[in-house]
Short mmCIF file of all heavy atoms in Angstrom, two decimals:
data_model
loop_
_atom_site.label_atom_id
_atom_site.label_comp_id
_atom_site.label_asym_id
_atom_site.label_seq_id
_atom_site.Cartn_x
_atom_site.Cartn_y
_atom_site.Cartn_z
N LYS A 1 1.32 -10.69 -13.52
CA LYS A 1 1.09 -9.38 -14.18
C LYS A 1 -0.25 -8.84 -13.84
O LYS A 1 -0.95 -8.21 -14.67
CB LYS A 1 1.32 -9.50 -15.66
CG LYS A 1 2.67 -10.03 -16.14
CD LYS A 1 2.97 -9.81 -17.61
CE LYS A 1 4.19 -10.42 -18.02
NZ LYS A 1 5.41 -9.85 -17.30
N VAL A 2 -0.64 -9.01 -12.56
CA VAL A 2 -1.95 -8.48 -12.00
C VAL A 2 -1.61 -7.53 -10.90
O VAL A 2 -0.80 -7.75 -10.06
CB VAL A 2 -2.80 -9.63 -11.55
CG1 VAL A 2 -4.13 -9.05 -10.88
CG2 VAL A 2 -3.18 -10.51 -12.70
N VAL A 3 -2.30 -6.36 -10.83
CA VAL A 3 -2.21 -5.40 -9.74
C VAL A 3 -3.27 -5.86 -8.69
O VAL A 3 -4.41 -5.61 -8.98
CB VAL A 3 -2.35 -4.02 -10.15
CG1 VAL A 3 -2.25 -3.07 -8.94
CG2 VAL A 3 -1.30 -3.65 -11.19
N TYR A 4 -2.88 -6.33 -7.61
CA TYR A 4 -3.85 -6.78 -6.48
C TYR A 4 -4.12 -5.59 -5.66
O TYR A 4 -3.54 -5.48 -4.50
CB TYR A 4 -3.26 -7.91 -5.79
CG TYR A 4 -4.33 -8.86 -5.04
CD1 TYR A 4 -3.93 -10.12 -4.55
CD2 TYR A 4 -5.53 -8.32 -4.78
CE1 TYR A 4 -4.95 -10.87 -3.99
CE2 TYR A 4 -6.52 -9.11 -4.15
CZ TYR A 4 -6.24 -10.36 -3.78
OH TYR A 4 -7.14 -11.18 -3.13
N ALA A 5 -5.00 -4.67 -6.08
CA ALA A 5 -5.13 -3.39 -5.38
C ALA A 5 -5.68 -3.56 -4.02
O ALA A 5 -5.25 -2.88 -3.01
CB ALA A 5 -6.09 -2.52 -6.20
N GLU A 6 -6.57 -4.48 -3.72
CA GLU A 6 -7.20 -4.73 -2.44
C GLU A 6 -6.12 -5.11 -1.47
O GLU A 6 -6.12 -4.59 -0.38
CB GLU A 6 -8.30 -5.84 -2.56
CG GLU A 6 -9.26 -5.83 -1.40
CD GLU A 6 -10.33 -6.80 -1.64
OE1 GLU A 6 -10.41 -7.53 -2.61
OE2 GLU A 6 -11.11 -6.95 -0.72
N ALA A 7 -5.17 -5.89 -1.90
CA ALA A 7 -4.08 -6.40 -0.96
C ALA A 7 -3.17 -5.24 -0.72
O ALA A 7 -2.64 -4.98 0.44
CB ALA A 7 -3.38 -7.64 -1.57
N ILE A 8 -2.79 -4.44 -1.70
CA ILE A 8 -1.91 -3.35 -1.61
C ILE A 8 -2.47 -2.25 -0.64
O ILE A 8 -1.78 -1.77 0.24
CB ILE A 8 -1.55 -2.73 -2.96
CG1 ILE A 8 -0.88 -3.78 -3.80
CG2 ILE A 8 -0.79 -1.47 -2.79
CD1 ILE A 8 -0.72 -3.32 -5.32
N LEU A 9 -3.79 -2.01 -0.77
CA LEU A 9 -4.47 -1.09 0.16
C LEU A 9 -4.45 -1.48 1.58
O LEU A 9 -4.10 -0.66 2.47
CB LEU A 9 -5.97 -0.77 -0.34
CG LEU A 9 -6.08 -0.11 -1.72
CD1 LEU A 9 -7.53 -0.25 -2.11
CD2 LEU A 9 -5.68 1.34 -1.54
N LEU A 10 -4.74 -2.69 1.80
CA LEU A 10 -4.83 -3.27 3.14
C LEU A 10 -3.42 -3.23 3.78
O LEU A 10 -3.23 -2.89 4.96
CB LEU A 10 -5.36 -4.70 3.23
CG LEU A 10 -5.54 -5.32 4.57
CD1 LEU A 10 -6.33 -4.40 5.53
CD2 LEU A 10 -6.23 -6.62 4.47
N LEU A 11 -2.38 -3.59 3.02
CA LEU A 11 -1.01 -3.60 3.53
C LEU A 11 -0.60 -2.18 3.87
O LEU A 11 0.08 -1.97 4.89
CB LEU A 11 -0.05 -4.22 2.46
CG LEU A 11 1.42 -4.23 2.95
CD1 LEU A 11 1.53 -5.16 4.12
CD2 LEU A 11 2.26 -4.87 1.74
N ALA A 12 -0.96 -1.24 3.00
CA ALA A 12 -0.58 0.16 3.27
C ALA A 12 -1.22 0.59 4.67
O ALA A 12 -0.59 1.29 5.45
CB ALA A 12 -1.08 1.04 2.18
N GLN A 13 -2.55 0.27 4.82
CA GLN A 13 -3.14 0.60 6.12
C GLN A 13 -2.50 -0.01 7.35
O GLN A 13 -2.28 0.72 8.34
CB GLN A 13 -4.59 0.21 6.05
CG GLN A 13 -5.48 1.00 5.12
CD GLN A 13 -6.85 0.48 4.94
OE1 GLN A 13 -7.07 -0.61 4.51
NE2 GLN A 13 -7.83 1.25 5.33
N LEU A 14 -2.00 -1.26 7.16
CA LEU A 14 -1.28 -1.86 8.32
C LEU A 14 0.07 -1.27 8.45
O LEU A 14 0.56 -1.13 9.69
CB LEU A 14 -1.17 -3.38 8.03
CG LEU A 14 -2.47 -4.18 8.03
CD1 LEU A 14 -2.20 -5.59 7.73
CD2 LEU A 14 -3.08 -4.08 9.37
N ASN A 15 0.70 -0.81 7.42
CA ASN A 15 2.03 -0.13 7.64
C ASN A 15 1.78 1.20 8.31
O ASN A 15 2.64 1.50 9.21
CB ASN A 15 2.67 0.12 6.16
CG ASN A 15 3.47 -1.05 5.75
OD1 ASN A 15 4.17 -1.64 6.52
ND2 ASN A 15 3.44 -1.41 4.51
N ILE A 16 0.81 1.88 8.10
CA ILE A 16 0.49 3.15 8.70
C ILE A 16 0.19 2.89 10.20
O ILE A 16 0.85 3.51 11.11
CB ILE A 16 -0.74 3.84 8.12
CG1 ILE A 16 -0.42 4.40 6.71
CG2 ILE A 16 -1.20 5.10 9.04
CD1 ILE A 16 -1.68 4.79 5.94
N ALA A 17 -0.58 1.81 10.47
CA ALA A 17 -0.90 1.50 11.85
C ALA A 17 0.28 1.01 12.68
O ALA A 17 0.37 1.26 13.87
CB ALA A 17 -2.07 0.51 11.88
N SER A 18 1.19 0.41 11.99
CA SER A 18 2.44 -0.17 12.71
C SER A 18 3.61 0.82 12.80
O SER A 18 4.60 0.45 13.17
CB SER A 18 2.87 -1.42 12.04
OG SER A 18 3.30 -1.15 10.72
N GLY A 19 3.37 2.10 12.30
CA GLY A 19 4.41 3.13 12.49
C GLY A 19 5.39 3.13 11.30
O GLY A 19 6.42 3.70 11.37
N ASN A 20 4.98 2.59 10.09
CA ASN A 20 5.84 2.61 8.90
C ASN A 20 5.06 3.36 7.77
O ASN A 20 4.84 2.76 6.76
CB ASN A 20 6.20 1.21 8.56
CG ASN A 20 7.25 1.16 7.50
OD1 ASN A 20 7.94 2.23 7.19
ND2 ASN A 20 7.46 0.09 6.78
N PRO A 21 4.72 4.58 7.97
CA PRO A 21 3.88 5.32 6.94
C PRO A 21 4.60 5.52 5.59
O PRO A 21 3.98 5.54 4.59
CB PRO A 21 3.53 6.58 7.62
CG PRO A 21 4.52 6.81 8.64
CD PRO A 21 5.04 5.50 9.06
N GLU A 22 5.92 5.65 5.70
CA GLU A 22 6.68 5.94 4.40
C GLU A 22 6.58 4.80 3.46
O GLU A 22 6.56 4.99 2.26
CB GLU A 22 8.20 6.24 4.81
CG GLU A 22 8.46 7.47 5.40
CD GLU A 22 7.95 8.77 4.49
OE1 GLU A 22 7.84 8.59 3.32
OE2 GLU A 22 7.68 9.75 5.10
N ALA A 23 6.48 3.52 3.96
CA ALA A 23 6.31 2.40 3.07
C ALA A 23 4.89 2.47 2.41
O ALA A 23 4.73 2.21 1.22
CB ALA A 23 6.41 1.09 3.95
N ALA A 24 3.86 3.00 3.14
CA ALA A 24 2.54 3.12 2.61
C ALA A 24 2.55 4.29 1.54
O ALA A 24 1.83 4.13 0.50
CB ALA A 24 1.57 3.40 3.71
N VAL A 25 3.29 5.29 1.77
CA VAL A 25 3.43 6.47 0.89
C VAL A 25 3.89 5.90 -0.48
O VAL A 25 3.33 6.12 -1.53
CB VAL A 25 4.26 7.63 1.30
CG1 VAL A 25 4.62 8.54 0.23
CG2 VAL A 25 3.62 8.30 2.56
N VAL A 26 4.97 5.31 -0.47
CA VAL A 26 5.60 4.67 -1.68
C VAL A 26 4.58 3.70 -2.46
O VAL A 26 4.44 3.83 -3.63
CB VAL A 26 6.85 3.82 -1.38
CG1 VAL A 26 7.44 3.15 -2.60
CG2 VAL A 26 7.88 4.85 -0.86
N ALA A 27 3.98 2.84 -1.68
CA ALA A 27 3.00 1.90 -2.27
C ALA A 27 1.87 2.65 -2.90
O ALA A 27 1.35 2.25 -3.99
CB ALA A 27 2.57 0.86 -1.28
N MET A 28 1.31 3.63 -2.19
CA MET A 28 0.09 4.32 -2.77
C MET A 28 0.39 5.19 -3.88
O MET A 28 -0.34 5.38 -4.79
CB MET A 28 -0.53 5.14 -1.54
CG MET A 28 -1.13 4.32 -0.41
SD MET A 28 -2.49 3.22 -1.02
CE MET A 28 -1.70 1.68 -1.39
N GLU A 29 1.68 5.82 -3.94
CA GLU A 29 1.97 6.64 -5.07
C GLU A 29 2.19 5.80 -6.29
O GLU A 29 1.71 6.15 -7.34
CB GLU A 29 3.35 7.41 -4.74
CG GLU A 29 3.16 8.57 -3.72
CD GLU A 29 4.47 9.30 -3.40
OE1 GLU A 29 5.58 8.63 -3.60
OE2 GLU A 29 4.38 10.41 -2.93
N GLU A 30 2.70 4.59 -6.10
CA GLU A 30 2.87 3.66 -7.23
C GLU A 30 1.48 3.21 -7.75
O GLU A 30 1.19 3.12 -8.91
CB GLU A 30 3.67 2.44 -6.83
CG GLU A 30 5.12 2.82 -6.66
CD GLU A 30 5.95 1.62 -6.20
OE1 GLU A 30 5.39 0.53 -6.00
OE2 GLU A 30 7.23 1.71 -6.04
N LEU A 31 0.58 2.82 -6.74
CA LEU A 31 -0.73 2.43 -7.14
C LEU A 31 -1.56 3.44 -7.76
O LEU A 31 -2.35 3.14 -8.71
CB LEU A 31 -1.44 1.80 -5.86
CG LEU A 31 -2.78 1.16 -6.08
CD1 LEU A 31 -2.68 0.00 -7.02
CD2 LEU A 31 -3.39 0.69 -4.79
N LYS A 32 -1.42 4.65 -7.34
CA LYS A 32 -2.15 5.82 -7.88
C LYS A 32 -1.81 6.01 -9.40
O LYS A 32 -2.77 6.29 -10.19
CB LYS A 32 -1.88 7.10 -7.17
CG LYS A 32 -2.87 8.15 -7.48
CD LYS A 32 -2.64 9.33 -6.55
CE LYS A 32 -3.71 10.47 -6.80
NZ LYS A 32 -3.56 11.63 -5.99
#
């Protein structure tokens, strides 16, 4: 029951870099 923001942010950046930005959008909207 912990939000690991640092890991979520890094994963989102890697998703953007690997051509999967929509996954990053979903993760960032939830984290926001």
Side-chain angles (χ1 to χ4, degrees):
K1 302 192 184 303
V2 174
V3 177
Y4 202 161
E6 198 175 359
I8 296 169
L9 290 168
L10 182 54
L11 181 60
Q13 289 173 298
L14 292 178
N15 273 318
I16 293 168
S18 64
N20 187 17
E22 287 300 335
V25 168
V26 172
M28 291 300 94
E29 287 177 339
E30 289 178 356
L31 185 57
K32 194 173 181 181

